[in-house]
Amino acid sequence: MANRTPVVAGNWKMNTDVESGLELAKGILKLSNSVSGVDKIVCPPFVSIATIAQVLCGSTIQVGAQNVSSNADGAFTGEVSTSMLRGFVSHVIVGHSERRALNGETSEQIASKAIAVAEAGLTPILCIGEDLSVRKFGNAESFVAEQLESSLAEFSAWDSLIVAYEPVWAIGTGEAATSDQAQDMTAVCRKVIRKLAPDAANSTRVLYGGSVNSGNVAELLDKPDIDGALVGGASLKADEFSKLIAAAGSN
Ligand code: 13P
């Protein structure tokens, strides 16, 4: 197995205000700052990013954004650009299934966002994943392969990419994919990367997301193609999130 540093990233979604987000970040800092051998990332809502980035500055905990515009600037009311985020964040989640489903984001738009993020010197955390009907029809592998390939159209910054396989049916349901299912699908993702950029396949981190918690994280991380976790609910409690970090880290 390639020697990939695991990643544990918390997607806070539309939870926490500036005050409670700051408390959460401070709690994670206290419990997890000294853990090594794992990349630790928190992705707060936009309004909290500057404050939290200031508190985490100089620590081992990195900050990410949950979304970004693919446009550089201009008349895009309500949008946030990569240049506004640069200096505060190191990572940006793009293509989360909630944005695909609720905001109608297409893989084409997501591909543009991933390129904009990489061009700004930041790392995209690109999400892909099938919903329950696709899985029930037995089409999960081909669906995810197609979704990943189209979300990476014209992407070229292969040394700056994290992929997160997040089956929609496992998100926020308390029913994570089994470790075998997650392994199969992260292996599919790696196969797509190998096809698009052979040299990047062994080094690109592929995460699993969907109801990850301290009870199932070890088994998931044990799988050869799962390089970490993108975490929703369990990232909102400092002690639970820090358990996930500890499970992925080396001390
Ligand atoms: P949950 O961990 O709450 O299932 O959310 C996963 C997720 O969507 C992370 O991006």
Coordinates of all heavy atoms in Angstrom, one line a residue, residues 68 81-83 85-87 89 92 114-123:
V68 N -17.2 27.3 -2.9 CA -16.6 28.5 -3.4 C -17.2 28.7 -4.8 O -17.8 27.8 -5.4 CB -15.1 28.3 -3.5 CG1 -14.7 27.4 -4.7 CG2 -14.4 29.6 -3.6
S81 N -15.3 34.1 -3.5 CA -14.3 33.7 -4.5 C -13.1 33.0 -3.8 O -12.9 33.2 -2.5 CB -13.8 34.8 -5.3 OG -13.1 35.7 -4.5
T82 N -12.3 32.4 -4.6 CA -11.1 31.7 -4.0 C -10.1 32.8 -3.4 O -9.5 32.6 -2.4 CB -10.3 30.9 -5.1 OG1 -10.1 31.8 -6.2 CG2 -11.1 29.7 -5.5
S83 N -10.0 34.0 -4.1 CA -9.1 35.0 -3.6 C -9.5 35.5 -2.2 O -8.7 36.0 -1.4 CB -8.9 36.1 -4.6 OG -10.1 36.7 -4.8
L85 N -10.9 33.7 0.0 CA -10.6 32.6 1.0 C -9.1 32.4 1.2 O -8.7 32.0 2.3 CB -11.2 31.3 0.5 CG -12.7 31.2 0.4 CD1 -13.2 29.9 -0.3 CD2 -13.3 31.2 1.9
R86 N -8.4 32.7 0.2 CA -6.9 32.5 0.3 C -6.4 33.3 1.5 O -6.7 34.4 1.7 CB -6.2 32.9 -1.0 CG -5.0 32.2 -1.2 CD -4.5 32.3 -2.6 NE -4.8 33.6 -3.2 CZ -4.8 33.9 -4.5 NH1 -4.5 32.9 -5.3 NH2 -5.1 35.0 -5.0
G87 N -5.5 32.7 2.3 CA -5.0 33.3 3.5 C -5.7 32.8 4.7 O -5.2 32.9 5.8
V89 N -7.9 29.7 4.4 CA -8.2 28.3 4.3 C -7.1 27.7 3.4 O -6.5 28.3 2.6 CB -9.6 28.0 3.7 CG1 -10.7 28.7 4.4 CG2 -9.6 28.2 2.2
V92 N -10.9 23.4 0.2 CA -12.2 23.8 -0.1 C -13.0 22.6 -0.6 O -12.6 21.9 -1.5 CB -12.3 24.9 -1.3 CG1 -13.8 25.3 -1.5 CG2 -11.5 26.1 -0.9
A114 N -13.3 23.1 -8.9 CA -12.1 22.3 -8.5 C -10.9 23.0 -9.2 O -9.8 23.2 -8.5 CB -12.2 20.9 -8.9
I115 N -11.0 23.4 -10.4 CA -9.9 24.0 -11.1 C -9.6 25.4 -10.5 O -8.4 25.7 -10.2 CB -10.2 24.2 -12.6 CG1 -10.2 22.8 -13.3 CG2 -9.2 25.1 -13.3 CD1 -10.8 22.7 -14.7
A116 N -10.6 26.2 -10.2 CA -10.4 27.5 -9.6 C -9.7 27.3 -8.2 O -8.8 28.1 -7.9 CB -11.8 28.2 -9.4
V117 N -10.1 26.3 -7.4 CA -9.5 26.1 -6.1 C -8.0 25.8 -6.3 O -7.2 26.4 -5.6 CB -10.3 25.0 -5.4 CG1 -9.5 24.6 -4.1 CG2 -11.7 25.4 -5.0
A118 N -7.8 24.9 -7.2 CA -6.3 24.5 -7.4 C -5.5 25.6 -7.9 O -4.4 25.8 -7.5 CB -6.3 23.3 -8.3
E119 N -6.1 26.4 -8.8 CA -5.4 27.6 -9.4 C -5.1 28.6 -8.3 O -4.1 29.4 -8.4 CB -6.2 28.2 -10.5 CG -6.0 27.4 -11.8 CD -6.8 28.0 -13.0 OE1 -7.7 28.9 -12.8 OE2 -6.6 27.5 -14.1
A120 N -5.9 28.6 -7.3 CA -5.6 29.6 -6.2 C -4.6 29.0 -5.2 O -4.3 29.6 -4.1 CB -6.9 29.9 -5.4
G121 N -4.1 27.8 -5.5 CA -3.1 27.2 -4.6 C -3.7 26.5 -3.4 O -3.0 26.2 -2.4
L122 N -5.0 26.3 -3.5 CA -5.7 25.5 -2.4 C -6.0 24.1 -2.8 O -5.9 23.8 -4.0 CB -7.0 26.3 -2.0 CG -6.8 27.8 -1.8 CD1 -8.2 28.5 -1.6 CD2 -6.0 28.0 -0.5
T123 N -6.4 23.3 -1.9 CA -6.7 21.9 -2.2 C -8.2 21.6 -2.3 O -8.8 21.8 -1.3 CB -6.0 20.9 -1.2 OG1 -4.6 21.1 -1.2 CG2 -6.3 19.5 -1.5

